[in-house]
Amino acid sequence: MLQANWGDTLFTLQKGDITQVETQAVVNAANSRLAGGGGVDGAIHRAAGPELMAECREIGGCPTGQAVITGAGCMKALKVIHTVGPIYRGSPKDAELLADCYVNSLERARENGLATVAFPSISTGAYGYPLDQAALVALSAVRDYLMAHAGVFKEIKMVLFDQTALDAYQRALDEL
Ligand code: ADP
């Protein structure tokens, strides 16, 4: 399955580069110093330009599981929501913090009246969270949030960078 309807919001899975997606808000898998880096964080900063780093510097940082919002520099999106995923340790706290990332990002989007949001697969790159486990945590957190906030969002997209990630999220969506 590549899509679902949760609380009147269309939820979709797609393969691609999140910087190229049509959306009002792009979620960034940032680090706690909001210092930029590799992976999706690097791609978003490259696409947005130096304005984004200047805004991040002003905010200064973000604790794991929390989310902060900035402009989107020269990207087409209106806003970037920076959330900090947990570094996978194999403790029960991991799933809690990863779910918090999705919930707090959706909270920032809702507060700012953003109707469409694109998420990358948080924590499954440099932070080492196993893809299948991360996919289940991500999808159940988003589903529960959308069910509890019916009609707030038009569309939430998960943008997966490669086929392996897309397959894992598709399996998780079938399992939910
Ligand atoms: P983290 O530090 O949270 O693990 P990473 O950026 O290292 O973050 O990886 C998170 C996920 O983002 C990985 O699955 C990676 O393949 C993916 N990714 C990397 N670049 C992009 C991009 N341009 N668009 C969407 N996803 C991306």
Side-chain angles (χ1 to χ4, degrees):
M1 206 160 51
L2 284 170
Q3 61 179 58
N5 206 299
W6 292 327
D8 279 337
T9 301
L10 177 63
F11 175 81
T12 60
L13 302 178
Q14 67 180 73
K15 193 167 74 171
D17 174 353
I18 201 166
T19 64
Q20 302 302 313
V21 162
E22 183 74 42
T23 182
Q24 292 182 351
V26 171
V27 177
N28 181 20
N31 54 59
S32 58
R33 290 172 302 121
L34 301 180
V40 71
D41 198 358
I44 288 172
H45 277 280
R46 274 193 301 279
E51 213 175 289
L52 187 61
M53 187 51 75
E55 278 194 67
C56 286
R57 235 179 258 125
E58 206 153 288
I59 295 170
C62 176
T64 303
Q66 300 299 303
V68 296
I69 191 162
T70 65
C74 45
M75 285 198 291
K76 260 206 296 174
L78 302 174
K79 297 282 185 185
V80 174
I81 295 167
H82 308 260
T83 188
V84 182
I87 297 171
Y88 184 75
R89 295 193 168 82
S91 101
K93 255 307 206 198
D94 298 336
E96 218 176 284
L97 289 167
L98 185 59
D100 287 349
C101 288
Y102 288 91
V103 168
N104 287 315
S105 296
L106 290 169
E107 280 285 291
R108 290 300 87 77
R110 184 167 68 96
E111 291 160 4
N112 286 273
L114 301 161
T116 55
V117 183
F119 280 98
S121 175
I122 298 162
S123 282
T124 61
Y127 284 0
Y129 211 117
L131 205 43
D132 290 296
Q133 290 178 42
L136 276 173
V137 172
L139 297 189
S140 38
V142 171
R143 180 199 54 192
D144 292 353
Y145 188 92
L146 296 181
M147 302 290 242
H149 298 87
V152 169
F153 298 104
K154 186 161 165 252
E155 184 173 358
I156 307 295
K157 302 175 182 178
M158 286 278 338
V159 183
L160 292 323
F161 203 45
D162 54 32
Q163 190 63 42
T164 310
L166 180 63
D167 289 346
Y169 277 76
Q170 209 172 332
R171 277 194 301 275
L173 190 54
D174 289 337
E175 250 182 68
L176 274 194

